[in-house]
Amino acid sequence: MEAVPVRRRQRSTSEIVTSTIGLTLVALVVVWLGINFVKDWSTFVELTFSGLARGSQYALVALGYTLVYGILELINFAHGDVFMIGGMVTATVVINIFALDSNPSAGSLLPVILISLAGAMIVCGVLNATIERVAYKPLRGAPRLVPLITAIGVSFIIENVAFIWKGPRPVQLPPNTLPHDVIFTLGTCPKCATFRWDQLFVMLVTVPVLLGLVWLVRFTKQGKAMRATAQDKDAATMMGIDVNRTISFTFIVAGALAGTAGVIYALYGTAVQWDDGFTLGLIAFTAAVLGGIGNLPGAVLGGLLIGLIYDYNEGLSWYAPGSSWSQTIVFGILILILVFRPQGLLGEQTPEGG
Amino acid sequence: MASRHGRAYRGFFRLLESVGVKDARARWERKSPFLQRAVPPLAIAAVVLVLVLPFRTPDPAAIVFLAIVYALYIMPPRWRKWALPATVLTIAVLYPFLVQQLDYQRFLFEIPIFNTFPTIDTMAVMAIYAMMAVGLNIVVGYAGLLDLGYVAFYALGAYTAAWLASPHASQFHINGKPIDLNIGGVGVTEGLGGIHISIWIVLLAAAIVTAVGGILIGLPTLRLRGDYLAIVTLGFGEIIAEVAKNGDSITLGFNLTGGPPGINPLDPPGWGTWLADHLGLPANYLEKSGQYVNFVTLVYWSGLVLLLLTIFCSLRMRDSRLGRAWIAIREDEVAAAAMGIPLMRTKTWAYASGAFFGGVAGAWFGSFKQGVFPDDFYFQISIFILCMVILGGMGNVWGVVAGAAFLTYLNQEGLSSVSTWFNDKVLPCDPNTADPAKVISGGCVNAPLVSFGIYGLIIVLVMLFRPEGLIPERRRKLEFETGVHDEPLMDLRHAPES
C-alpha cells in the first residue's frame, strides 16, 4: 500500500491575519496582568481569590447554558432569571424563615445553608423544567429564532414575578452572613493577601457540585441518555431513549445548578435584586461561549476566566478600566471570541458541530 | 365552504332550524355575498343595543366611529384597499382637533376599560416608536436577522442630534476659539455657542451616522449564525448604553456624551426664520401655543410625515431587488447563496437600512424631548420594539405599525387606565392605602410597574399561538406553517479553524 502523505491545509491570508490579531490581544492582556502582578502582587493575589469565587458562580450558571444548548441548540435566555430565583429563595430562607442576625455562629448557619441549597435546587430545577414544558416544547419544530424570542419573553415574565414577590429594591441579607474571618495570609501586612472563609465556602459548595455533575453525565445511565440525545435525537429515540424525559431532566439539572449559584450569590454578596439575573446570565453565557458552548469543562474554565477578568478589571491599579466598564469588557470578550474563535477555547460540542 | 365558518355560525343556524325555520342555513347561503357580509354585524349591533340601552345611552361619537368601521367592513376589497389607509390617515391627521377638544364627549367617546383615547403626547411618541418598529422590521421581518440591540441605533441617532444641535460642542476649541456654528439652527440666542444645524439636516446626518454604525457593527458579526448574532447585537446594545453613561470627561477622558446627566438642552424642532417668512412654516415649534396647534401637535404631525416616509421607503425597499434578496435569505440561505446573492453584503445592507431609520427616530426623539439622557437607552427598549414587530406580524409593515401604536399606547396610558378600571370596578380598593412602589398592595393593582412582564407575556403568547403575528404577511405565514429550511450557511462549521 502506498502511504498517502499527510499534507497540512494551507491557511488563507484572512485566517492568518485573524489569528495574529487574536493572539496579539491575548498577549497584551497577559502583559498587562504581568506588569500589574509585579507592581502590586498582594492585590493581584487577593483579586485572584475573589475572582475565583466570583467565577465559580459564573461557571455554575454557564454550565446550565451549555447543557441546554448542547441538547436543544437553544440559548435559554431565561436561565439567568432562574438563577436569580435561586437567590430569592435563599433570601427567603435566611430572612423570613430563620431570621438570621449578622455574624451568625457556625452552628446556626449550617442548617440554613443546607436548607437553602435544597430549596433553591428543587425550586429552580422544577421551574426550569416547567419553562421547558410550557414554553419551549411546543416550539421544537419551529424556526430556530422562535424559541429564542420566546425565551426572552419568559425571562421578562420571571423577572417581573420576582418584582411582584420581593419588590423593586435589592433584598438585603444580614451583613456578614458568611464569616469573613481570615484563613491564611500570604506575606506580611500591609502588603499581604488574605483568603477568607466566605471564599472557601464558595469553593466548598462548587467543587462537590461539579464533581457530582461529572459523575452524573459520565457514569450514570441518565447521563448516557443525555449525551446520546445531545448527539442525535432521532438515533437516541430509536435506541429506546425517552428524549422528552431526557430533555426535561437536563433542564432540571441546569436549573439545580443555577439554584446552587443563586445560593452562593445571595450568601456571598448578601443582596439579591429582581433584575440581577439578566446581567449575570449574559456574563455566564459569555463564559459558556468562551469555553466552547456545549462543552462542560469549557463552561467551568470560561466561568473562572471571566470571573478573574471581571475582578482584575475592577481591582487592579495599573491601567484597569474600572467597574464602570465591566459590561463593556465582558461583552467585548463575547464579541471578540465570536469573531476570532467562535468555537471557544476548548471547542464546541453541539449536535450539528460535533 | 362550510369550513370557513366557525362553530357559533353553525350553532346559530341549528338553533334556528330547531325552532322551526326550515332550511335556514341553505337559504341564507344562497343570498348574495354582500348581504351575507353586511347583515350579521347589523344584527349583532341591534342585539347589543337592546341589551345596553336600559343601562346607558350610547354615545353618538361611538356610533359614528362604529359606522365608519362598518362601512369599511362591507365595502368591496378593491375599494377597501384605498379607503382603509385613507380613513386611518385622515383620522390621524385630524386627531389633534378631536382629542384636544374642550368638550371631549362631542367628538370622542370613552372606551370601555381603557377609558379615554390616547393624548397627543402619546401619539407623538407613538410615531417615533412606529418609525423604529418599521426600521427593525427591515432587519427582523424582511431579512430574518434577530437584532436584540436595536436601542443602540436609537441612542446613536439621539447623540448625533445632541452633538449637531446643542451648545454641547462649545466646550471644545478649534484654533483656540470655542466651536460656534449655526446653519439654520432653531431657538439659538446670541453667544450660545456650539453647533446648531437645522433639525431636518440633523435627521439625515444622524441617519447616515447610524447606518455607518450599523455597518461597522454588522461587518464582524453578520457571518455568525442567527442565535449568536442575536446575543452579539444585544452585547453591542449594552456597550453603547454603557459608553453613553460613561462618556464624560471623568470616566472616558473626553466629553463625548455628557455622562450620566446627558446632553441638554437640544434645539427644539422647527423650520427656521427664512422658511417661516417665505413658506409660512412654523419657525420654532416651541413658540406655538394654541389650543389645537401647539408644540406637541406640530411634533406629532412632523413625526407622522416622517413615519409615512419611513413606511414608503420600507415598502419600496421590500419590492426592490435588494428587498427580494433579503426575503430570499430569510427563507433559505443556502438557496439564496446558490442563486448568486452575496450573503454578507445583503445582510449588511439590511442592517444598515434598519439602523438608518432607528437613527432618524432617535434624533427626532432627542429633538422632541430637547435632551438626550443615557437612562433612556436600556435593553428593555430593544425588546419593546421587537415585541411590536412580533405582535403586529413580522414582515408586514402595516401590522408592525399597528403593533407599535397599540403597545406604545399601552405603555404610555393603557396599562394605568386598565389598572384604574380594575381597582374601581372589578376589585374596588382604596388607592390611599396603596404603596405606589408595589405592584399589589392594599388590594390595589399597579400594572405599569410590571409592564415589561406583560410585554414578555405577549411575546410568549404570540410565539406559542400565532407566531406570524396578528396581521400576518401572507408569505411569512406560509413560512411558519410549512416550515422553511433555515439552516444557515455561514455558521461555526464553516468558521476558520485556527
Side-chain angles (χ1 to χ4, degrees), chain A residues 88-348:
Chain A
M88 288 297 184
V89 169
T90 313
T92 314
V93 170
V94 169
I95 299 169
N96 303 25
I97 299 181
F98 282 88
L100 279 189
D101 290 330
S102 53
N103 298 313
S105 67
S108 62
L109 191 60
L110 200 62
V112 176
I113 291 174
L114 291 178
I115 290 176
S116 306
L117 272 175
M121 283 169 98
I122 291 169
V123 168
C124 293
V126 171
L127 175 66
N128 214 19
T130 315
I131 293 171
E132 194 271 331
R133 258 290 154 67
V134 175
Y136 304 154
K137 196 180 166 205
L139 299 173
R140 276 218 197 120
R144 195 196 286 197
L145 292 182
V146 172
L148 176 62
I149 296 173
T150 314
I152 296 169
V154 172
S155 152
F156 275 47
I157 295 173
I158 298 180
E159 278 181 19
N160 280 275
V161 167
F163 184 94
I164 297 173
W165 182 24
K166 292 288 186 186
R169 295 180 184 290
V171 183
Q172 290 288 349
L173 277 74
N176 293 353
T177 313
L178 296 173
H180 274 54
D181 305 328
V182 175
I183 303 174
F184 64 81
T185 313
L186 293 176
T188 43
C189 294
K191 200 169 169 56
C192 64
T194 55
F195 186 69
R196 300 193 313 263
W197 275 105
D198 55 338
Q199 288 161 347
L200 179 69
F201 161 80
V202 176
M203 321 264 159
L204 281 181
V205 176
T206 314
V207 173
V209 169
L210 289 182
L211 291 178
L213 183 72
V214 170
W215 171 77
L216 180 78
V217 175
R218 284 269 166 81
F219 302 110
T220 62
K221 211 169 175 181
Q222 193 65 53
K224 212 174 190 175
M226 278 164 70
R227 281 180 288 145
T229 312
Q231 268 183 15
D232 190 331
K233 281 194 209 47
D234 296 334
T237 317
M238 281 184 255
M239 294 298 124
I241 294 171
D242 187 340
V243 168
N244 281 332
R245 222 190 68 166
T246 312
I247 291 176
S248 288
F249 183 76
T250 310
F251 271 84
I252 291 179
V253 172
L257 289 171
T260 315
V263 174
I264 297 175
Y265 182 83
L267 292 176
Y268 184 75
T270 65
V272 195
Q273 201 174 351
W274 61 280
D275 59 356
D276 277 355
F278 171 69
T279 323
L280 199 136
L282 281 174
I283 294 174
F285 176 76
T286 307
V289 172
L290 178 65
I293 197 128
N295 187 324
L296 299 185
V300 177
L301 176 71
L304 293 179
L305 279 180
I306 296 274
L308 286 172
I309 292 171
Y310 200 100
D311 272 11
Y312 286 148
N313 164 50
E314 295 200 347
L316 289 179
S317 50
W318 189 74
Y319 282 108
S323 59
S324 51
W325 295 102
S326 302
Q327 293 214 31
T328 305
I329 287 178
V330 172
F331 292 125
I333 292 174
L334 175 67
I335 292 162
L336 290 176
I337 276 288
L338 285 176
V339 170
F340 289 116
R341 201 179 158 82
Q343 69 273 41
L345 293 178
L346 300 187
E348 75 165 329

Side-chain angles (χ1 to χ4, degrees), chain B residues 166-412:
Chain B
S166 84
H168 182 74
S170 66
Q171 57 190 295
F172 302 105
H173 297 259
I174 291 179
N175 299 333
K177 273 202 281 185
I179 296 176
D180 191 353
L181 180 74
N182 187 349
I183 306 174
V186 170
V188 187
T189 50
E190 195 64 37
L192 191 59
I195 306 173
H196 300 274
I197 297 175
S198 170
I199 177 69
W200 312 109
I201 304 171
V202 168
L203 287 183
L204 193 64
I208 291 169
V209 167
T210 318
V212 172
I215 293 175
L216 289 182
I217 293 178
L219 276 180
T221 54
L222 279 171
R223 72 191 172 102
L224 300 169
R225 68 182 174 212
D227 42 3
Y228 276 18
L229 176 70
I231 297 290
V232 167
T233 50
L234 197 169
F236 267 115
E238 293 289 290
I239 290 177
I240 296 270
E242 202 163 76
V243 170
K245 208 167 288 166
N246 294 336
D248 53 10
S249 36
I250 305 158
T251 324
L252 189 70
F254 173 75
N255 196 350
L256 184 70
T257 64
I263 297 175
N264 74 85
L266 250 69
D267 299 344
W271 292 91
T273 42
W274 192 87
L275 282 172
D277 294 341
H278 289 78
L279 290 175
L281 292 164
N284 181 350
Y285 284 10
L286 266 186
E287 285 163 0
K288 283 271 181 187
S289 57
Q291 191 206 330
Y292 296 121
V293 181
N294 49 36
F295 173 66
V296 189
T297 315
L298 288 171
V299 171
Y300 165 63
W301 275 334
S302 311
L304 201 62
V305 172
L306 289 174
L307 172 63
L308 288 176
L309 279 174
T310 310
I311 293 174
F312 176 75
C313 295
S314 166
L315 286 175
R316 297 306 298 156
M317 271 179 175
R318 185 192 63 188
D319 296 336
S320 72
R321 191 187 170 83
L322 185 64
R324 283 173 284 135
W326 288 335
I327 292 167
I329 287 186
R330 177 185 83 197
E331 288 184 350
D332 192 333
E333 257 191 54
V334 181
M339 292 294 127
I341 294 174
L343 290 186
M344 273 303 287
R345 202 196 306 159
T346 316
K347 284 183 179 181
T348 312
W349 271 116
Y351 222 63
S353 325
F356 186 91
F357 296 118
V360 176
W364 184 245
F365 180 73
S367 188
F368 169 40
K369 290 285 170 208
Q370 289 147 63
V372 178
F373 312 101
D375 291 341
D376 287 342
F377 309 110
Y378 45 93
F379 165 71
Q380 275 86 346
I381 300 263
S382 304
I383 300 304
F384 186 43
I385 300 165
L386 182 70
C387 188
M388 295 169 184
V389 175
I390 288 168
L391 180 68
M394 280 184 265
N396 182 355
V397 174
W398 306 113
V400 166
V401 172
F406 176 66
L407 281 179
T408 314
Y409 165 68
L410 214 57
N411 196 36
Q412 302 278 324

Side-chain angles (χ1 to χ4, degrees), chain B residues 99-112:
Chain B
V99 79
Q100 300 191 92
Q101 190 66 31
L102 291 177
D103 182 11
Y104 188 81
Q105 286 297 327
R106 218 169 71 213
F107 287 96
L108 290 176
F109 51 96
E110 284 192 4
I111 319 165

